[in-house]
Amino acid sequence: MSQAAPYTRRDPAGPSTNAYAVADTDEAHGGSSDRGSGIYSAFAPFLRSAVSTCTVAALSGSTPVRRQLLLFRLVVAAIALVLLLTFASFATTVAPVQKTTSALSSSSSSRFRSTRPGSLSASEDDPPEWLRVPLPDSSRLAVAVKTGINVASDRLPIQLLTFLRHVQNFVVIGEAPGIRVGDLAVVDVYTGQYEASLARNESRCNKGSHLLRRGDQITADASSIGWQRDAHKNLPGLRVLHDRFPEADWYLMIDDDSYVFLDNLLGYLDTQDPAVPLYMGSPNYFVGCDGVRNFADGPGFAHGGSGILMSRGAVDKLMPILDECIIKYYTCWGGDIRIALCMRDAGIKLEGGIGFYGGPPIRENRFPWNACERPKVFHHLLPSQMQRFWALEEENRAAGRPDIMSAVFSAFIVERDPLLVNATGDFDSGFTLARYNLPGDDFDNVKIEDLDGGRDNPPAACAAKCHKESRCLAWTVDRGNCWLKDRVPQWKENDSDKTWAGYIPSKYKCKDPGSR
């Protein structure tokens, strides 16, 4: 019997190939693998030869015993070949998967890497909806947060986790070395600052400067309030803030229990010229510094905790006389007053400012007539109140709504006012409290007996009158009169059982959110 040729198949697109051979290409395996192709290349010729030899011998005219032996060897070789092909296929598949997984991991990591504190990358499909809202550009603003060694670890964390996340340029100042909050180091602006100012002034005075000479120094009174360290932080802290961020257009100094509505503040600054010397904040007056004995005799000052806002033009005029001010006003009891006195010496007066509040928006705080007003800074806040502000600000930012006082009023007065637990009424009809007064801000008053139902139910009659008057937000029944108010004053407890007060929250609303 003639020798049979090995079994072959014909590929219409190319040359004939052995039936047991596989294409050793990237396309066939879906990738490449040096390990898989190397093993196959080493053993495939041997296995192909063994299979071919056994096949020919089995089909030739050898004895039955020999044919059975050869067929047995053929089966073993075929099994080995199948195992080899399986291994080679597995090896060539794993490598591309590993590469793809690594690439996806790298891509995912890069997409979630923050570009700066409080910001995310521009990927469209990774962050939740509210995080994709564009963050305010605070690059033109520099903020100094004033803290103390005994309160830094309690107060600073909530600021760092809320509005300071969106502030690109800020520094925290204190009165002692070694204060840290996590990885954040607090800059000591107290230790050695007075002596450093003296040394700088000495060289100037020796040159005939008009600044204080060493013999003209004011002797500090160790028993005065001015020796309390807090008052010594503001002026040196302003130097640190300016030195760290000399290119800023605006400088803001706040306390560690202040909250800044950043969008509102930056929106306001967009309307102002930073080259003009501007000094702004919540206006106050003082006695006891610089010989001032009567309120309003001295310059007005911006209350520190409510935010001291200064333009580049103002700070540039202040820097040359800062050392003189540190020495001259060293005994003044208020650091924010020292800034005002130094501003006066530089020829800059307080401009005042809308939206800088010295207290939290709770029942002790009066709300402005304009419900559309956009607050900038609140002071004396608890961490829980800052968290509430942050939630309100983020909700409004995500919805494209401005942060206005009517929203603050609803969130804090209505939802958080503890007095309302004992009040009657609701948001729409209004709340009424017995033995309380809301003094001030009256625009009209009517005798109770002249109102419908006034004799039988004085508070209900007065509340009904307030509902009918478009400008009425609050009311008080006192001394037989119904007093109507166009503002929400502070609650005041009253001993008389003939006194009632209330307000109508639903009427305190912004009619034009675009106004400021």
Side-chain angles (χ1 to χ4, degrees):
M1 187 173 184
S2 63
Q3 186 177 10
Y7 175 75
T8 60
R9 67 176 173 86
R10 178 72 59 178
D11 189 338
S16 62
T17 56
N18 189 281
Y20 299 101
V22 294
D24 200 24
T25 63
D26 289 349
E27 290 76 17
H29 295 298
S32 63
S33 173
D34 293 340
R35 179 173 60 177
S37 61
I39 294 174
Y40 179 78
S41 300
F43 289 93
F46 167 76
L47 291 172
R48 285 198 297 266
S49 176
V51 171
S52 299
T53 303
C54 291
T55 303
V56 172
L59 298 176
S60 63
S62 55
T63 63
V65 175
R66 184 172 179 82
R67 283 199 301 269
Q68 290 177 355
L69 180 60
L70 291 175
L71 287 173
F72 175 78
R73 292 177 178 177
L74 176 61
V75 171
V76 172
I79 293 175
L81 181 59
V82 171
L83 293 175
L84 176 62
L85 293 177
T86 302
F87 176 80
S89 176
F90 173 80
T92 55
T93 303
V94 170
V97 172
Q98 290 176 333
K99 291 179 180 179
T100 302
T101 304
S102 176
L104 288 174
S105 176
S106 176
S107 174
S108 175
S109 176
S110 65
R111 289 201 305 270
F112 280 96
R113 189 178 299 116
S114 296
T115 56
R116 62 179 175 85
S119 68
L120 291 177
S121 61
S123 176
E124 296 182 357
D125 57 343
D126 293 333
E129 180 68 27
W130 67 274
L131 282 177
R132 292 207 295 270
V133 177
L135 300 179
D137 179 14
S138 63
S139 59
R140 300 179 298 114
L141 175 69
V143 178
V145 181
K146 194 174 61 158
T147 190
I149 190 171
N150 296 322
V151 296
S153 59
D154 295 329
R155 296 183 178 181
L156 283 174
I158 188 63
Q159 289 182 317
L160 295 171
L161 291 171
T162 55
F163 72 92
L164 282 179
R165 287 180 53 196
H166 297 333
V167 176
Q168 293 169 259
N169 309 316
F170 75 92
V171 62
V172 181
I173 57 176
E175 81 286 5
I179 306 175
R180 300 188 70 89
V181 178
D183 292 333
L184 177 68
V186 178
V187 179
D188 179 9
V189 296
Y190 174 79
T191 307
Q193 293 300 317
Y194 181 72
E195 293 76 11
S197 293
L198 283 175
R200 284 189 291 265
N201 261 324
E202 184 176 11
S203 63
R204 293 172 184 163
C205 293
N206 288 338
K207 296 179 182 179
S209 169
H210 71 281
L211 300 179
L212 288 176
R213 300 181 185 278
R214 197 168 182 83
D216 297 329
Q217 295 170 24
I218 298 173
T219 302
D221 181 5
S223 63
S224 72
I225 302 177
W227 274 95
Q228 300 300 318
R229 290 187 175 187
D230 185 72
H232 300 301
K233 301 172 191 174
N234 294 66
L235 288 174
L238 183 56
R239 183 198 303 281
V240 170
L241 184 63
H242 177 264
D243 289 349
R244 292 231 177 161
F245 310 107
E247 303 300 323
D249 285 339
W250 298 96
Y251 297 89
L252 176 68
M253 184 171 288
I254 58 174
D255 286 355
D256 53 12
D257 57 350
S258 305
Y259 187 93
V260 179
F261 278 88
L262 201 57
D263 290 356
N264 289 348
L265 177 61
L266 295 175
Y268 172 74
L269 296 181
D270 286 340
T271 67
Q272 305 296 313
D273 183 359
V276 177
L278 293 175
Y279 164 50
M280 293 173 282
S282 177
N284 286 265
Y285 293 97
F286 66 91
V287 293
C289 291
D290 197 41
V292 176
R293 294 173 180 251
N294 301 304
F295 285 104
D297 284 352
F301 73 96
H303 178 249
S306 308
I308 304 174
L309 182 63
M310 298 156 282
S311 67
R312 167 171 36 86
V315 174
D316 286 347
K317 292 189 68 174
L318 210 64
M319 286 299 108
I321 63 170
L322 195 64
D323 285 320
E324 176 185 5
C325 292
I326 290 174
I327 300 168
K328 184 177 179 181
Y329 302 118
Y330 191 74
T331 58
C332 179
W333 58 269
D336 44 11
I337 299 174
R338 297 185 193 189
I339 288 183
L341 293 170
C342 199
M343 285 287 182
R344 178 200 61 186
D345 293 351
I348 304 171
K349 294 182 178 180
L350 178 69
E351 296 288 336
I354 296 176
F356 298 90
Y357 289 93
I362 53 177
R363 59 189 174 90
E364 289 85 2
N365 189 59
R366 290 169 32 146
F367 275 74
W369 287 284
N370 182 12
C372 300
E373 180 185 303
R374 302 187 181 188
K376 301 175 181 68
V377 182
F378 280 95
H379 185 220
H380 288 312
L381 296 174
L382 299 171
S384 60
Q385 293 169 326
M386 289 196 195
Q387 178 62 38
R388 182 69 186 115
F389 268 144
W390 171 254
L392 177 65
E393 194 174 19
E394 290 298 308
E395 290 168 8
N396 288 338
R397 186 177 287 146
R401 297 189 299 260
D403 300 305
I404 53 180
M405 288 301 293
S406 60
V408 174
F409 177 82
S410 177
F412 278 84
I413 294 295
V414 177
E415 299 178 19
R416 299 294 193 271
D417 192 341
L419 282 178
L420 297 184
V421 174
N422 301 316
T424 60
D426 54 36
F427 183 89
D428 293 321
S429 65
F431 295 100
T432 300
L433 274 171
R435 296 180 180 270
Y436 274 88
N437 191 1
L438 290 169
D441 302 314
D442 308 306
F443 70 88
D444 194 10
N445 71 86
V446 183
K447 288 188 176 298
I448 285 293
E449 61 187 23
D450 294 338
L451 297 176
D452 293 339
R455 294 175 181 268
D456 299 327
N457 194 339
C462 190
K465 177 65 174 176
C466 185
H467 267 287
K468 294 178 182 178
E469 297 286 340
S470 60
R471 63 183 293 193
C472 185
L473 297 177
W475 55 269
T476 292
V477 174
D478 187 36
R479 299 188 300 273
N481 287 328
C482 170
W483 303 84
L484 305 181
K485 307 165 187 299
D486 56 6
R487 195 177 180 186
V488 183
Q490 301 176 19
W491 289 105
K492 297 294 182 183
E493 195 167 2
N494 193 295
D495 293 333
S496 173
D497 60 357
K498 301 296 184 181
T499 300
W500 297 267
Y503 58 76
I504 308 171
S506 60
K507 295 187 71 175
Y508 187 75
K509 57 186 177 182
C510 177
K511 298 179 181 179
D512 181 15
S515 64
R516 294 181 183 264

